[in-house]
Amino acid sequence: MTDFVPRSLLFVPATRPDMVAKVERVRPDAVVLDWEDAVAPPEKEGARVTAAETLSASRPGADAVLIRINAPDTPWYDDDVSALAALVTAGHVDGVLLPKYEHVAQLTALRDALEPGTRIVAGLESGLGVADARELLAAGPEACYFGAEDYIADIGGRRTAGGLEVLYARSRVALAASLTGVASLDQVVTAVKDAEAFSTDARQGLELGYRGKVCLHPTQVTLAHEVFTSTDDEVAHAEKVLAAGESGVGLVDGQMVDAVHLTLARAVLARAGRPT
């Protein structure tokens, strides 16, 4: 089981050092300087340079600092990995997001190119990546995320507000992550100004088994932390369940407590950072 379990993964364009400087205000568990989707092709080389200058000057205000490189089948990948390796060696970056993860060899090659201990977050965001999720995650990235937008585009579907079209894939990634002990991060909510939509989607992700959420806007970080951190009431109930279960079977608030409830209670305490 990984010890890297971010509740929030905030994306920031690597070409915007002004936005990187503002990360401190919301303090995400992890910030990602993006060299992929947020950067147009003519700006890819400049994004590497800007990121290096930004990170050399000051560390962003997040517990972990990551870079999202371009996918392995793109012309920018090799230069991205070289630039990333230098930033990791210099101590400016803790890890990397590998997008469009579809083959174990991609993860192996990336890990071999980086310092031991570099955190790798793998993106499962294509039909093949989702279909082979368990095998891909068994290869040992520290975390993964489900990319709903890229996935639905890849299989030729249509994205809807209800999200039924990605429910199977979203669930499959969460299941594979649980089976392999990899921390899982839920899909983005592109309506960045709709707090209710984000919170609702995040709660659905929690209920499916996700441990955190990909965020596209600073306001989403606070909402993610609210959803993926257990409340005081939840912690108190979980402690009562564990206490009742010490004898094997018990009652809490009139409901039977057995082994499965103990497992759920321990998960609640884990989200609160409480040892069990």
Side-chain angles (χ1 to χ4, degrees):
M1 182 70 70
T2 180
D3 61 354
F4 179 57
V5 189
R7 299 163 298 171
S8 59
L9 193 73
L10 176 63
F11 279 84
V12 180
T15 52
R16 295 288 305 275
D18 58 317
M19 295 178 67
V20 176
K22 295 177 181 178
V23 168
E24 178 73 39
R25 298 178 184 178
V26 293
R27 195 77 195 184
D29 288 346
V31 63
V32 180
L33 276 66
D34 193 7
W35 291 350
E36 194 206 19
D37 287 348
V39 179
E43 299 175 350
K44 297 290 188 183
E45 183 175 353
R48 297 187 204 107
V49 174
T50 300
E53 293 173 346
T54 301
L55 294 172
S56 297
S58 178
R59 183 179 175 89
D63 293 342
V65 178
L66 313 174
I67 296 285
R68 179 163 72 170
I69 59 176
N70 288 279
D73 62 351
T74 67
W76 308 288
Y77 175 78
D78 289 340
D79 288 340
D80 279 359
V81 173
S82 295
L84 169 70
L87 290 171
V88 171
T89 299
H92 300 315
V93 171
D94 304 306
V96 56
L97 264 69
L98 172 63
K100 315 296 191 297
Y101 178 38
E102 295 183 332
H103 306 285
V104 170
Q106 295 170 336
L107 180 68
T108 302
L110 181 58
R111 193 174 292 285
D112 288 345
L114 301 174
E115 293 278 347
T118 303
R119 290 166 172 165
I120 299 180
V121 180
L124 299 177
E125 45 192 338
S126 68
L128 182 58
V130 170
D132 292 348
R134 186 174 182 182
E135 175 187 352
L136 294 171
L137 296 184
E142 279 67 38
C144 71
Y145 66 93
F146 171 53
E149 314 301 317
D150 284 294
Y151 164 78
I152 204 66
D154 185 53
I155 67 169
R158 184 168 64 89
R159 199 74 170 94
T160 69
L164 184 61
E165 73 282 358
V166 297
L167 178 58
Y168 168 75
R170 191 182 183 191
S171 300
R172 185 179 179 91
V173 170
L175 175 60
S178 176
L179 292 172
T180 54
V182 173
S184 56
L185 292 145
D186 192 26
Q187 63 191 15
V188 302
V189 174
T190 57
V192 295
K193 295 185 178 180
D194 191 336
E196 183 177 353
F198 182 89
S199 293
T200 298
D201 199 68
R203 283 192 292 270
Q204 291 173 350
L206 174 65
E207 290 158 1
L208 287 172
Y210 282 92
R211 307 294 298 277
K213 191 82 168 161
V214 176
C215 302
L216 299 179
H217 191 276
T219 58
Q220 294 181 336
V221 171
T222 301
L223 298 172
H225 289 183
E226 289 175 356
V227 171
F228 289 97
T229 304
S230 300
T231 66
D232 291 343
D233 287 345
E234 289 171 334
V235 168
H237 182 266
E239 291 174 338
K240 288 170 63 177
V241 168
L242 291 177
E246 289 180 354
S247 60
V249 176
L251 288 175
V252 173
D253 299 332
Q255 295 191 2
M256 186 69 72
V257 171
D258 56 20
V260 68
H261 297 102
L262 300 182
T263 299
L264 292 171
R266 292 187 185 100
V268 168
L269 295 180
R271 287 196 296 275
R274 303 283 187 89
T276 59

